[in-house]
Amino acid sequence: MADPQSLRWPAAANPAIAAAQRNSGFGSDHGASRPIKAIGEQLDNGSNIIATPELFDAYEVFAAELAQIFTQPWLAVDHASRLAADGDYVRADIGSRSVVLVRESADQIHALRNACLHAGYRVCEAEAGNATHLYCVYHGWSYALDGRLTDPMLQPK
Ligand code: FES
């Protein structure tokens, strides 16, 4: 018999997320634990697992997913076949982060933080496409496909 409490997320390593879990009552008899308990009861009964909509709306579950899954060192984002030609790129928003995967050449694929060095604005708004460089529309800084800042106005004379 599965203990519904055993289905709780482990304590968050991130103190802010752990505090959010404590403050929300996550893991107690109210709040987000209800849909988790329901899954535990379904397991106990040997029935099919049906996740309730509340499970997908619970901030505490989202915070736990960020801490336990989406902030881990390696994540598979997409298949390299989506970057078939030089200059092909795909934007991926993972948790609260945005990255750009870009093929610079046949043997060079880069994963770049999707944030401008100037003030952090996204350098890639489209979900996918092809480009010769990345360009920040906020103030016009431009970047090579390997992430190097290439704006000629910013080069030393
Ligand atoms: S934030 Fe990108 S150029 Fe200013």
Side-chain angles (χ1 to χ4, degrees):
M1 177 189 245
D3 173 11
Q5 292 299 318
S6 70
L7 298 174
R8 292 171 41 187
W9 289 93
N14 181 319
I17 293 173
Q21 289 176 343
R22 273 193 311 276
N23 294 338
S24 68
F26 181 65
S28 66
D29 287 342
H30 57 280
S33 67
R34 253 180 282 147
I36 294 171
K37 278 187 170 184
I39 289 177
E41 289 165 7
Q42 292 166 5
L43 281 171
D44 288 344
N45 297 335
S47 59
N48 291 334
I49 304 297
I50 300 171
T52 61
E54 294 83 18
L55 195 62
F56 300 98
D57 290 341
Y59 174 78
E60 296 77 15
V61 174
F62 173 69
E65 288 177 344
L66 284 181
Q68 303 298 324
I69 300 170
F70 296 114
T71 56
Q72 297 306 304
W74 291 101
L75 286 174
V77 173
D78 213 321
H79 194 270
S81 64
R82 284 197 64 197
L83 304 172
D86 292 356
D88 281 356
Y89 65 86
V90 173
R91 190 193 82 219
D93 297 327
I94 303 165
S96 58
R97 299 178 183 169
S98 183
V99 295
V100 182
L101 306 175
V102 59
R103 179 179 292 281
E104 180 184 15
S105 61
D107 61 349
Q108 292 284 314
I109 292 178
H110 303 283
L112 308 170
R113 184 171 167 245
N114 188 13
C116 181
L117 291 172
H118 181 216
Y121 197 81
R122 287 180 171 208
V123 295
C124 180
E125 292 289 347
E127 286 186 22
N130 186 278
T132 57
H133 66 283
L134 300 173
Y135 179 75
C136 178
V137 297
Y138 202 26
H139 302 102
W141 287 22
S142 60
Y143 299 86
L145 296 181
D146 65 357
R148 282 178 297 111
L149 180 64
T150 57
D151 194 303
M153 298 296 285
L154 301 170
Q155 299 301 312
K157 295 185 181 187

